[in-house]
Amino acid sequence: MSPAPELPVVLDMPGEVADFLHAAEPDDAGRAALDHGQAVRRGQGYTLRISATPAIHRQLLDRCQTLDSTAAISAQRKARREYENRVNTLE
């Protein structure tokens, strides 16, 4: 018996993370998820509402690991941690 396929899950990605990933050239599945995301205005910034499988969300999170370094500005580090917390709730 094969495992059940993962179903898409809707998560909000902070705009700082979405902007970084658009510039980082994700793979085809990640690019499609970002391109089909819905931008939601939040105060001065925005959130990108993405519907993708948990595996795609984890892949996008892995691609933005550099935002957790000391070279990134604090807003980017915080945005990445927020997205990481949302992705970790999927497990």
Side-chain angles (χ1 to χ4, degrees), residues 20-44:
F20 174 82
L21 288 171
H22 274 294
E25 296 295 323
D27 66 358
D28 291 340
R31 169 70 58 199
L34 290 171
D35 289 345
H36 291 98
Q38 178 184 3
V40 178
R41 298 303 290 167
R42 299 274 188 227
Q44 293 180 350

Side-chain angles (χ1 to χ4, degrees), residues 9-69:
V9 177
V10 176
L11 285 182
D12 288 348
M13 175 186 288
E16 292 276 345
V17 174
D19 291 343
F20 174 82
L21 288 171
H22 274 294
E25 296 295 323
D27 66 358
D28 291 340
R31 169 70 58 199
L34 290 171
D35 289 345
H36 291 98
Q38 178 184 3
V40 178
R41 298 303 290 167
R42 299 274 188 227
Q44 293 180 350
Y46 76 100
T47 298
L48 191 63
R49 189 160 289 151
I50 297 176
S51 177
T53 63
I56 298 296
H57 283 292
R58 284 186 211 93
Q59 178 186 24
L60 291 171
L61 179 63
D62 288 344
R63 297 209 35 102
C64 65
Q65 287 297 324
T66 57
L67 291 179
D68 207 23
S69 70

Side-chain angles (χ1 to χ4, degrees), residues 14-17 20 61 64-85:
E16 292 276 345
V17 174
F20 174 82
L61 179 63
C64 65
Q65 287 297 324
T66 57
L67 291 179
D68 207 23
S69 70
T70 56
I73 60 173
S74 63
Q76 290 174 324
R77 289 192 301 269
K78 180 181 177 188
R80 191 204 147 287
R81 282 192 312 269
E82 287 176 8
Y83 185 53
E84 180 180 35
N85 290 339

